[in-house]
Amino acid sequence: MTERQIVLVKNTWSYVVVNSEQAGQLFYQRLFEVAPAVRPMFTGDIKAQARKLMNMVTLIVTKLHKLDDVVDEIKMLAGRHSKYGAKPEHYSVVGECLLWTLEKGLGNRWDAETKEAWTTVYGILANAMITNQRAAATT
């Protein structure tokens, strides 16, 4: 990620995080609309799940300059996702839903450059999750 992308992600997240509960719920609503087959993976309270998602995104956004600091968190998260039945192909739809949620939440602050920055950060994280899931599956 470039320095400019990091700044864009951090700045735009500051607008989303003030309504993080709403954003998290909007994300899951969208996810279940576009990928209803993943709904059974979520057996708990979606509001609680939305808070967990927003907390994880907040953690990652705060560590963008030092993503190595969250490697252990990413590994544990990948392990949990494997137990829930997440597959590598799910990450693309999750990314699409995250970008959609950000676009809705940011309104006129969302532009091509911001989309590219968020796409980059999500790609890094999704690839790390997939890599860790695959590594765990082979051990």
Side-chain angles (χ1 to χ4, degrees), residues 81-131:
H81 278 76
S82 291
K83 289 178 187 173
Y84 303 140
K87 306 217 178 309
E89 57 269 20
H90 292 135
Y91 288 94
S92 62
V93 72
V94 167
E96 291 169 20
C97 293
L98 176 63
L99 294 176
W100 180 88
T101 302
L102 291 166
E103 180 179 4
K104 295 299 176 203
L106 291 168
N108 64 1
R109 291 180 183 93
W110 185 257
D111 59 21
E113 187 179 24
T114 302
K115 180 179 181 179
E116 182 181 340
W118 275 100
T119 300
T120 300
V121 72
Y122 181 77
I124 291 167
L125 295 170
N127 287 335
M129 295 275 293
I130 291 167
T131 299

Side-chain angles (χ1 to χ4, degrees), residues 28-78:
Y28 282 107
Q29 178 183 342
R30 180 67 175 175
L31 179 64
F32 300 149
E33 281 176 14
V34 299
V38 304
R39 181 63 179 100
M41 291 182 202
F42 298 88
T43 57
D45 177 26
I46 290 300
K47 285 184 180 182
Q49 183 63 38
R51 279 191 296 277
K52 290 177 188 177
L53 171 67
M54 294 295 111
N55 289 340
M56 181 56 72
V57 174
T58 298
L59 172 69
I60 289 165
V61 167
T62 61
K63 300 286 187 177
L64 285 177
H65 282 98
K66 296 181 178 183
L67 282 177
D68 290 343
D69 290 354
V70 293
V71 167
D72 289 337
E73 281 289 328
I74 292 170
K75 285 181 182 178
M76 289 189 303
L77 188 61

